């Protein structure tokens, strides 16, 4: 389980970097780069699940609340990315503007706030648990703050946030990869 969630973390980190370089204009806008874009939050959902399983015994209620909010935010971010890359391209600008100014825009905002609160709560619990590297958790949280606020922060800050988050996720994935399953509760122990 930990190796699988670690692999998901590595995929998440790579896709975040690809998404960043595409949005920054260093990679071309192609069907492939758009098709893989939603994979970052989806893979991140699996990675954060592994992180939670690793800290569950020491993270307490705060960890469970943070995991739940973070997971819900990532699921919502997957839906947002899917919509942006697979639904909006087939619509005219007027329809997109109507959707974004109505319920769809409010749903995007709720998703951003949910992800932000989830990331910060989960990070606090993870640091408190000491089962994950503090630097990795700090990079993840610091990067996901602007990453969660894509429509509020300037584009360069958003893109920098994604790269910083990718570094944190990759480091967390390394930790997941080296986790040793414990016979007790089926969770992991630190090496």
């Amino acid at each position: 389980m930990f190796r699988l969630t670690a692999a998901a973390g590595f995929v998440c980190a790579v896709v975040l970097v690809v998404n960043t370089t595409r949005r920054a204009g260093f990679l071309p806008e192609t069907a492939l780069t758009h098709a893989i874009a939603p994979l970052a939050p989806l893979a991140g959902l699996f990675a954060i699940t592994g992180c939670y399983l690793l800290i569950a015994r020491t993270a307490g209620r705060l960890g469970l609340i943070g995991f739940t909010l973070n997971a819900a935010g990532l699921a919502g971010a997957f839906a947002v990315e899917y919509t942006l890359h697979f639904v909006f391209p087939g619509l005219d600008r007027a329809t997109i503007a109507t959707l974004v100014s109505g319920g769809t825009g409010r749903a995007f905002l709720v998703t951003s706030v949910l992800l932000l609160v989830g990331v910060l709560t989960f990070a606090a619990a993870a640091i408190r648990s000491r089962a994950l590297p503090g630097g990795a958790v700090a990079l993840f949280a610091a990067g996901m703050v602007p990453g969660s606020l894509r429509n509020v922060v300037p584009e360069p800050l958003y893109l920098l946030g994604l790269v910083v988050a990718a570094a944190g996720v990759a480091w967390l994935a390394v930790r997941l990869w080296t986790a040793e399953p414990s016979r007790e509760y089926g969770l992991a122990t630190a090496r």
Side-chain angles (χ1 to χ4, degrees), residues 12 16 40-53 55 61-79 110-127 132 136-145 147-148 165 168-169 172:
C12 176
L16 282 172
L42 183 60
L45 180 56
F46 287 103
I48 205 73
T49 300
C51 290
Y52 175 68
L53 292 174
I55 70 169
R61 276 194 202 130
L62 185 65
L64 178 60
I65 292 167
F67 166 70
T68 302
L69 294 172
N70 199 349
L74 286 168
F78 172 72
V110 168
T111 296
S112 293
V113 171
L114 187 62
L115 182 57
L116 177 63
V117 172
V119 163
L120 294 176
T121 306
F122 185 79
I127 288 173
L132 294 169
V137 174
L139 284 173
F140 167 69
M144 286 305 297
V145 168
S148 300
V169 169
L172 291 170

Side-chain angles (χ1 to χ4, degrees), residues 26-126:
F26 297 116
L27 278 180
E29 300 271 346
T30 66
L32 176 63
T33 59
H34 280 279
I36 66 169
L39 294 179
L42 183 60
L45 180 56
F46 287 103
I48 205 73
T49 300
C51 290
Y52 175 68
L53 292 174
L54 190 62
I55 70 169
R57 286 190 287 176
T58 56
R61 276 194 202 130
L62 185 65
L64 178 60
I65 292 167
F67 166 70
T68 302
L69 294 172
N70 199 349
L74 286 168
F78 172 72
V80 168
E81 289 295 321
Y82 187 90
T83 301
L84 294 175
H85 292 277
F86 293 106
V87 177
F88 281 8
L91 302 175
D92 60 75
R93 290 180 191 247
T95 302
I96 293 170
T98 301
L99 289 171
V100 171
S101 66
T104 302
R106 285 189 296 278
F108 286 2
L109 177 62
V110 168
T111 296
S112 293
V113 171
L114 187 62
L115 182 57
L116 177 63
V117 172
V119 163
L120 294 176
T121 306
F122 185 79

Side-chain angles (χ1 to χ4, degrees), residues 162-179:
L162 293 183
V163 172
V164 170
V169 169
W171 190 354
L172 291 170
V174 169
R175 174 63 184 94
L176 288 170
W177 190 265
T178 61

